[in-house]
């Protein structure tokens, strides 16, 4: 599928397990059609590359879990989509939202493949292992540097003939897309602490990811 912007997409839905299964059945992993797959389902997507010669490499751009949850709160206040799952949060105070929102360490749950039930320290270690062995880590706080890393690792910078226009587009996209300064962070408030406790394992995973981001410098230094 080619959009008006010229961007091309493969017509599969990788945001749902049934869509991933369909993609696997259609041979997406061996087709060479997709440069990037966007999905929260790491384990299911890995099956797309099972028994094929091509390999996938996981990469992610992480935001602090509490910052992400508060950003969603502000989004919900202006969301006009009518989605009943998010409409319930519209009009709530930040304290009411922090108490009611179903935040529960989704990063650790998806990386440890444990979507329900109580989490343990073992699940956190499994998530760290996935990040440490399988994933190139990027940080929203260092978005441009992170994207430059991805360009270098995957060779995307070599696929564009006009590097000046590409760099200008990237800088403009990041500037226009960064809305973090448009609303309060609520850091050091009771609501922030409530959300931190709900996402305690994710917060610990994020701290690990920050250290891993620095350690992964060595990967990019080897790429000419």
């Amino acid at each position: 599928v080619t959009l008006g912007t010229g961007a091309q997409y493969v017509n599969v839905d990788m945001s749902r397990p049934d869509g991933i299964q369909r993609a696997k059945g259609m041979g997406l992993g061996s087709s060479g059609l997709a440069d990037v797959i966007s999905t929260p389902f790491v384990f299911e997507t890995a099956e797309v590359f099972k028994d094929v010669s091509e390999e996938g490499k996981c990469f992610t751009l992480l935001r602090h879990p509490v910052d992400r949850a508060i950003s969603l709160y502000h989004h919900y206040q202006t969301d006009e989509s009518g989605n009943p799952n998010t409409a319930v949060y519209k009009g709530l105070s930040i304290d009411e939202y922090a108490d009611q929102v179903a935040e529960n360490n989704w990063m650790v749950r998806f990386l440890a493949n444990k979507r329900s039930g109580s989490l343990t320290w073992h699940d956190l270690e499994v998530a760290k292992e996935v990040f440490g062995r399988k994933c190139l880590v990027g940080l929203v706080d260092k978005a441009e540097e992170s994207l430059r890393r991805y360009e270098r690792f995957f060779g995307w910078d070599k696929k564009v003939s006009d590097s000046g226009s590409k760099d200008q587009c990237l800088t403009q996209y990041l500037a226009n897309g960064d809305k973090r300064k448009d609303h309060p962070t609520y850091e050091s408030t009771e609501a922030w602490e409530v959300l931190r406790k709900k996402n305690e394992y994710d917060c610990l995973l994020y701290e690990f990811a920050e250290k891993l981001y620095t350690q992964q410098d060595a990967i990019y230094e080897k790429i000419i």
Side-chain angles (χ1 to χ4, degrees):
V1 178
T2 302
L3 301 185
T5 58
Q8 295 182 325
Y9 296 86
V10 182
N11 189 23
V12 290
D13 184 0
M14 302 299 287
S15 68
R16 298 163 51 93
D18 57 345
I20 296 171
Q21 191 63 34
R22 174 174 173 267
K24 180 183 178 182
M26 295 173 65
L28 178 64
S30 59
S31 69
L33 292 174
D35 291 321
V36 175
I37 293 173
S38 177
T39 181
F41 295 99
V42 177
F43 289 90
E44 290 86 346
T45 301
E47 290 295 310
V48 171
F49 298 95
K50 188 175 182 180
D51 300 324
V52 299
S53 58
E54 289 77 7
E55 292 184 353
K57 181 66 177 180
C58 173
F59 69 100
T60 184
L61 194 65
L62 298 174
R63 189 174 186 180
H64 190 283
V66 180
D67 291 343
R68 176 190 52 76
I70 290 176
S71 180
L72 284 174
Y73 164 73
H74 290 288
H75 170 69
Y76 294 154
Q77 304 316 301
T78 58
D79 182 25
E80 301 295 340
S81 67
N83 184 340
N85 295 321
T86 59
V88 294
Y89 302 120
K90 193 169 187 176
L92 297 183
S93 69
I94 185 62
D95 293 298
E96 292 170 332
Y97 169 77
D99 287 334
Q100 297 179 31
V101 70
E103 284 281 332
N104 195 302
N105 303 288
W106 76 266
M107 281 198 302
V108 170
R109 289 190 177 281
F110 274 82
L111 290 171
N113 205 22
K114 190 174 183 179
R115 311 290 161 73
S116 60
S118 300
L119 292 175
T120 66
W121 288 105
H122 173 72
D123 298 317
L124 175 61
E125 292 304 315
V126 170
K128 287 181 178 180
E129 179 76 4
V130 172
F131 266 175
R133 293 184 56 198
K134 303 290 187 180
C135 201
L136 297 175
V137 170
L139 303 173
V140 169
D141 286 343
K142 298 182 179 181
E144 184 167 357
E145 181 181 81
S146 298
L147 293 176
R148 301 291 184 195
R149 285 182 169 194
Y150 301 151
E151 279 187 333
R152 191 174 180 187
F153 182 88
F154 292 108
W156 296 337
D157 52 344
K158 296 180 177 63
K159 294 185 177 183
V160 180
S161 57
D162 188 350
S163 61
S165 296
K166 182 263 297 179
D167 290 341
Q168 183 180 0
C169 179
L170 175 59
T171 301
Q172 184 177 351
Y173 177 81
L174 290 172
N176 294 339
D178 190 354
K179 306 298 183 184
R180 286 176 292 170
K181 295 181 181 179
D182 293 351
H183 55 70
T185 64
Y186 297 105
E187 193 167 352
S188 301
T189 65
E190 184 176 344
W192 199 96
E193 181 61 18
V194 169
L195 290 168
R196 185 199 66 78
K197 288 180 178 178
K198 285 188 173 184
N199 291 283
E200 184 174 10
Y201 287 110
D202 271 8
C203 288
L204 292 171
L205 181 64
Y206 183 80
E207 291 175 7
F208 171 79
E210 287 183 306
K211 297 175 182 176
L212 187 61
Y213 180 83
T214 301
Q215 294 170 4
Q216 288 184 347
D217 277 340
I219 296 175
Y220 302 97
E221 290 173 357
K222 297 176 182 178
I223 301 173
I224 300 176

